[in-house]
Amino acid sequence: MDALERFAPLPLQESYDNAGLQVGLTETEISGALLCLDVTEAVVDEAIRRECNLIVAHHPLIFRKLAHISDGSYVERAVIKAIKNDIVIMAMHTNMDNALDGVNFRVAAKMGLTQVDFLPSQRRQMAIAGTDEPVVYGSGVVGLLPEPMDARAFIMMLKERFGVASVRANELLQRPVSRVAICGGSGAFLLGDALRAGADAFVTGEMSYHEFFGHEQQLQICVIGHYESEQFTTEIFRDIIESECPGVRTCIAETQTNPIIYL
């Protein structure tokens, strides 16, 4: 847990978030770490089956305060099951989104982008106890494709790289796509920042209907799905643990947790 939090310190999380320790006692010797995007009862079952007593998730299981712990929701049932089986659950959410080489940098790497950095308007610094220099962090990144692509080819590349059934896009851009802005998950709040950064395309996981209006031929909006845009976060967890905690067994969860299906 310390290794993960050194990479993405908890103070980097947004004010509304609940990253960090969610369930369990931390002084037990680790038998294995199951890495996932979401925690469900099925994920806890997988941790039991694969003999992992730590679950590292991107999305917090406990996001809002629980008034009680019963069998009334999947969250409460997952908490009970984890406690009964001595499983620790931690979440690395917006702190991992905002961290250098975090979620958005991994998305950029999957696209093959170069010269990747935080969106200029979102680049910030924070002094954090135990660090010699201020930690640089931010929301969203921007980078360059190795070679410019036409808009349709760029969208088809996204479908292939991220296993997306359908990309929601605005009117196809009539100029090549070269500079790409990214925000995994719910990133519509950065659309204006992407424009100010001179992006030709903006890739995110979620946007609402009305947010697509008014940007025709300004930039190519590409909405690939919340789960799809963050699915490679587990690779970051794995790389940190394998580098900083040699000998700890890591397992990327096989349980499918995306609640959205495409018919």
Side-chain angles (χ1 to χ4, degrees):
M1 291 175 61
D2 287 342
L4 288 161
E5 290 177 11
R6 281 194 298 273
F7 184 94
L10 292 180
L12 300 188
Q13 69 180 305
E14 301 295 336
S15 59
Y16 59 80
D17 203 5
N18 188 38
L21 178 66
Q22 302 268 291
V23 175
L25 305 176
T26 61
E27 297 305 313
T28 304
E29 183 175 350
I30 188 168
S31 62
L34 185 72
L35 316 175
C36 61
L37 203 64
D38 311 282
V39 182
T40 63
E41 292 172 87
V43 168
V44 179
D45 287 334
E46 182 178 347
I48 296 167
R49 185 176 70 253
R50 301 178 74 175
E51 298 183 345
C52 295
N53 62 355
L54 171 65
I55 296 174
V56 183
H58 183 45
H59 297 135
L61 172 63
I62 303 173
F63 190 69
R64 297 175 180 85
K65 289 183 178 180
L66 296 177
H68 47 72
I69 300 177
S70 181
D71 60 355
S73 71
Y74 84 89
V75 172
E76 296 168 58
R77 293 190 296 271
V79 168
I80 292 171
K81 183 170 288 190
I83 291 172
K84 281 185 173 181
N85 289 276
D86 297 321
I87 293 173
V88 173
I89 299 174
M90 71 175 300
M92 303 291 287
H93 191 210
T94 52
N95 54 319
M96 187 59 76
D97 289 332
N98 292 337
L100 181 67
D101 292 327
V103 175
N104 295 310
F105 286 86
R106 185 60 58 119
V107 174
K110 295 296 180 180
M111 293 185 205
L113 300 191
T114 62
Q115 301 181 42
V116 181
D117 201 353
F118 295 110
L119 284 165
S121 57
Q122 291 291 320
R123 187 182 177 89
R124 292 164 279 173
Q125 291 186 345
M126 179 185 294
I128 294 178
T131 59
D132 297 329
E133 300 290 337
V135 174
V136 177
Y137 71 105
S139 300
V141 300
V142 63
L144 297 176
L145 288 167
E147 298 289 341
M149 304 176 69
D150 70 73
R152 184 176 294 277
F154 176 71
I155 291 170
M156 292 303 106
M157 180 269 287
L158 293 178
K159 289 188 67 173
E160 187 273 324
R161 298 277 174 91
F162 295 90
V164 178
S166 176
V167 175
R168 297 170 64 209
N170 62 342
E171 178 181 279
L172 290 181
L173 199 66
Q174 297 303 307
R175 67 174 189 273
V177 174
S178 181
R179 189 168 173 83
V180 181
I182 299 166
C183 183
S186 300
F189 70 102
L190 290 178
L191 182 59
D193 298 84
L195 283 164
R196 287 187 288 275
D200 302 305
F202 177 56
V203 180
T204 189
E206 291 185 32
M207 280 181 59
S208 68
Y209 174 81
H210 292 286
E211 289 165 325
F212 282 82
F213 280 102
H215 304 294
E216 296 80 8
Q217 300 309 314
Q218 286 186 324
L219 86 172
Q220 186 67 63
I221 296 172
C222 303
V223 179
I224 64 175
H226 196 123
Y227 178 94
E228 290 82 355
S229 70
E230 297 182 331
Q231 62 185 298
F232 300 112
T233 306
T234 53
E235 295 180 357
I236 305 174
F237 299 155
R238 180 198 61 200
D239 293 348
I240 295 167
I241 295 171
E242 290 184 351
S243 172
E244 299 297 320
C245 308
V248 171
R249 182 170 59 93
T250 59
C251 305
I252 291 180
E254 298 169 351
T255 303
Q256 169 61 254
T257 61
N258 189 354
I260 299 171
I261 63 172
Y262 300 88
L263 301 176

